[in-house]
Amino acid sequence: MNEIGAFEAKTHLPKLIEKVRQGASFVITRHGNPVAELIPVREADPNKIRDAIDGLKRFQAEHRLDGLSVREMIEEGRRH
């Protein structure tokens, strides 16, 4: 990933955006310290999202602490 100073990034933003659109990535620095990344947008994968949600639901259904389900622990925490 290429590094570019914040001032230079601001000055050349349209050119940088075009390069990012083509797949390039940049780390924007201020005084030599990384502060941001300029990267292409990643499309959300609906299958990965659904798998993650399903995994969390399985975890919630299968795990208990002292006989309490995850849902019961959440509700108990809200009451206090």
Side-chain angles (χ1 to χ4, degrees):
M1 200 173 299
N2 301 313
E3 285 191 12
I4 186 167
F7 179 80
E8 186 178 355
K10 181 179 81 166
T11 303
H12 300 289
L13 187 58
K15 291 179 186 177
L16 291 174
I17 289 174
E18 181 56 30
K19 288 181 180 181
V20 169
R21 196 179 71 73
Q22 296 171 10
S25 298
F26 298 90
V27 172
I28 299 173
T29 62
R30 176 166 278 159
H31 305 294
N33 297 312
V35 294
E37 290 180 326
L38 188 58
I39 61 172
V41 171
R42 296 181 196 116
E43 296 296 324
D45 182 345
N47 293 325
K48 283 186 177 182
I49 294 169
R50 175 55 44 204
D51 289 345
I53 292 170
D54 291 343
L56 289 169
K57 286 180 179 179
R58 277 192 309 277
F59 179 88
Q60 182 178 4
E62 296 169 1
H63 289 79
R64 301 180 81 74
L65 181 64
D66 291 333
L68 294 174
S69 70
V70 172
R71 171 63 51 208
E72 292 165 331
M73 287 185 274
I74 291 170
E75 292 304 321
E76 180 67 20
R78 288 182 177 154
R79 284 192 286 272
H80 293 282

